[in-house]
Amino acid sequence: MNADPAGGRPFEVNNRLVLAIAVPMTLAYLSTPLLGLTDTAVVGRFGDPALQGGLAAGAIVFDVVFTTFNFLRAATTGLVAQATGRGDAAGERLVLYRALFVALVSGLLVLLAGPLIAAAGKAFVDPGPRAAEAMVVYILIRVLSTPAALGNYVILGYVLGRGEGRTGLALQILLNGTNIALSIALGLWLGWGLEGVAWGTVFGETLTLAVGLALLARRFRHTWRVPWRSVIDPVALRRLFGLSGDIMIRSFALLMAFAWLTRVGAQLGTVTLAANAILLNFFMLAGYFLDGFATAAEQLVGRAIGARFRPAFDRAVTLTLWWGLGLAAALLAIFLVTGDWLIDAMTTAPAVRAEAADHLALAALCTLTGVLAFQMDGIFIGATWSRDMRNMMLVSLALYFAAVWGLVPLYGNAGLWAALHVFLVARGVSLGAILLTRRRQVFAA
């Protein structure tokens, strides 16, 4: 791991520091979709639609499960960044141990609830008898990885909170690379199929956790002891759970927005549903890039608040915004130039191609209108202003539903994408307005 950053003192935020966090984490986030593509390809080689349906349905279930717990990564990053800014090494360790404790308990509870999760997923998704059977098998194996997966969330949050983007990249490459290699080896070479893909995830998460814990043990070999009473301090745990609840609500609201877009698209017809699924890939890809700069904002803003150093805070906000805008503009141009070709590569259906091409510009523009929302999420996570983030997400979601209700009957699918722009802009602008107030409050003292 990297050397300790200067903590508890004024520090300079520059382009190099922003990119040192953003670039590695962008690469790490981009490695994630490769895993899903590999798993799909491995199972697809067996030529059984029921297996592919079971994999897709099982993946949806775990998307929901892990969205519930992604606060472990975000909250840990913000709290560790602030402790780093204060120069509080013992505080960093306490945040880490406390989050690992919550991750272990939560992971074991989810593991024990595996059969219930499988039954609930089967009832909710209802993918058909054979696909349901495959889904249950996948869930019951993959749920074994939950304690390790949640532990990896915490360790990633810790290293990002300290601004160690390269360490975060290495851990994510190890996780996804091992998972991909084992999915191919177990699923194809040994012929385990869907079960091999699930076991690949279990082994990959477990190995990554072991490596992460070994790195931490090496770092803390002389300073690892902290009072257990401090780890389970009720006040500190209440703060962690308060952050957790706010971030969880925010995450589910975000999922609901995109689920609603899919639902309304389906009501507009099968062709529209398929076209929107293709167009959403453009936004999701842009999100992997923009998340890198949001992560940089998390660490630098949290560290500046911990150090109570306003110039670093202001510089972090400014630089991450400009880099995000520049990257978004470049991605928008790429999508507009290559979008038709990419659409044709993803579907051969003429009607779907035509519908997607008609709305390409409107969908690609989400890359630009979403910049401020991504950046503000990073700032508010780093500052641990989670209640504001939660509240403005709910307000934005209400405006989104209102826009869908008003625009879709008038403009059809174009109205649906326009409503998504309303949602993204509302998130960014509302949090930006609150940011000015919170900034004065934090740095007034």
Side-chain angles (χ1 to χ4, degrees):
M1 291 189 179
N2 302 339
D4 284 342
R9 300 188 300 271
F11 64 100
E12 180 186 359
V13 175
N14 52 36
N15 288 313
R16 183 176 180 179
L17 188 57
V18 170
L19 294 176
I21 301 170
V23 172
M25 291 318 301
T26 296
L27 296 175
Y29 295 141
L30 286 171
S31 70
T32 300
L34 294 177
L35 174 58
L37 290 173
T38 301
D39 288 351
T40 301
V42 167
V43 173
R45 297 289 294 176
F46 289 86
D48 187 345
L51 291 180
Q52 285 197 294
L55 173 65
I60 290 171
V61 170
F62 278 100
D63 283 345
V64 173
V65 170
F66 290 129
T67 294
T68 304
F69 293 100
N70 67 3
F71 67 80
L72 287 168
R73 204 285 299 166
T76 302
T77 298
L79 294 171
V80 168
Q82 291 184 21
T84 301
R86 295 191 301 271
D88 184 3
E92 291 179 20
R93 293 196 301 277
L94 281 172
V95 171
L96 172 66
Y97 294 166
R98 199 173 291 127
L100 282 173
F101 170 71
V102 173
L104 175 62
V105 173
S106 301
L108 290 175
L109 290 175
V110 172
L111 194 158
L112 293 173
L116 293 176
I117 293 171
K122 180 180 176 181
F124 179 75
V125 180
D126 191 19
R130 292 192 62 243
E133 181 182 351
M135 180 188 74
V136 170
V137 170
Y138 177 81
I139 290 174
L140 291 180
I141 296 173
R142 188 175 168 184
V143 76
L144 298 173
S145 72
T146 307
L150 300 188
N152 287 327
Y153 278 7
V154 172
I155 293 174
L156 179 62
Y158 170 79
V159 298
L160 293 181
R162 288 177 50 82
E164 298 169 354
R166 285 179 295 177
T167 303
L169 172 61
L171 290 172
Q172 290 301 104
I173 288 178
L174 174 64
L175 172 62
N176 293 326
T178 302
N179 203 330
I180 288 171
L182 289 174
S183 292
I184 294 172
L186 299 178
L188 283 182
W189 296 349
L190 295 184
W192 292 8
L194 182 67
E195 291 90 338
V197 168
W199 280 113
T201 300
V202 174
F203 294 145
E205 294 281 5
T206 303
L207 174 63
T208 304
L209 178 64
V211 171
L213 290 175
L215 290 173
L216 294 175
R218 181 181 178 187
R219 166 174 286 179
F220 300 146
R221 59 184 179 274
H222 300 305
T223 59
W224 63 272
R225 291 181 181 274
V226 295
W228 175 247
R229 184 177 300 175
S230 298
V231 174
I232 58 172
D233 175 64
V235 174
L237 282 175
R238 277 198 300 271
R239 186 186 183 198
L240 176 59
F241 284 123
L243 284 171
S244 304
D246 293 337
I247 295 172
M248 190 186 305
I249 292 170
R250 171 258 178 199
S251 298
F252 276 115
L254 187 60
L255 274 180
M256 185 180 296
F258 288 103
W260 197 255
L261 186 141
T262 300
R263 182 181 185 275
V264 175
Q267 293 175 342
L268 293 174
T270 304
V271 170
T272 299
L273 174 64
N276 285 354
I278 291 172
L279 293 174
L280 269 176
N281 285 320
F282 292 98
F283 180 69
M284 296 303 177
L285 178 61
Y288 288 120
F289 283 96
L290 295 176
D291 269 339
F293 288 98
T295 301
E298 289 179 32
Q299 200 278 333
L300 296 173
V301 165
R303 183 177 165 192
I305 286 179
R308 289 293 187 269
F309 188 51
R310 180 168 167 173
F313 178 92
D314 292 344
R315 188 73 170 156
V317 171
T318 301
L319 287 183
T320 54
L321 176 60
W322 281 115
W323 275 107
L325 285 170
L327 179 59
L331 289 170
L332 173 60
I334 291 171
F335 292 155
L336 292 177
V337 171
T338 66
D340 289 333
W341 178 82
L342 292 171
I343 289 168
D344 290 348
M346 285 187 275
T347 180
T348 59
V352 176
R353 284 179 171 178
E355 177 72 10
D358 285 346
H359 298 91
L360 171 62
L362 196 56
L365 191 61
C366 290
T367 303
L368 203 56
T369 56
V371 170
L372 193 59
F374 278 91
Q375 189 217 18
M376 286 296 142
D377 276 356
I379 289 170
F380 277 68
I381 287 172
T384 60
W385 299 331
S386 60
R387 183 175 300 177
D388 293 325
M389 186 171 63
R390 177 202 67 193
N391 291 344
M392 292 306 100
M393 174 63 82
L394 294 176
V395 169
S396 301
L397 186 64
L399 291 174
Y400 169 65
F401 286 144
V404 170
W405 178 80
L407 295 175
V408 171
L410 294 175
Y411 303 106
N413 199 32
L416 181 57
W417 283 99
L420 184 61
H421 285 288
V422 170
F423 175 64
L424 295 172
V425 171
R427 285 173 57 203
V429 171
S430 62
L431 289 175
I434 292 175
L435 172 65
L436 300 176
T437 300
R438 293 287 175 261
R439 173 176 169 269
R440 286 194 298 269
Q441 292 172 343
V442 168
F443 296 104

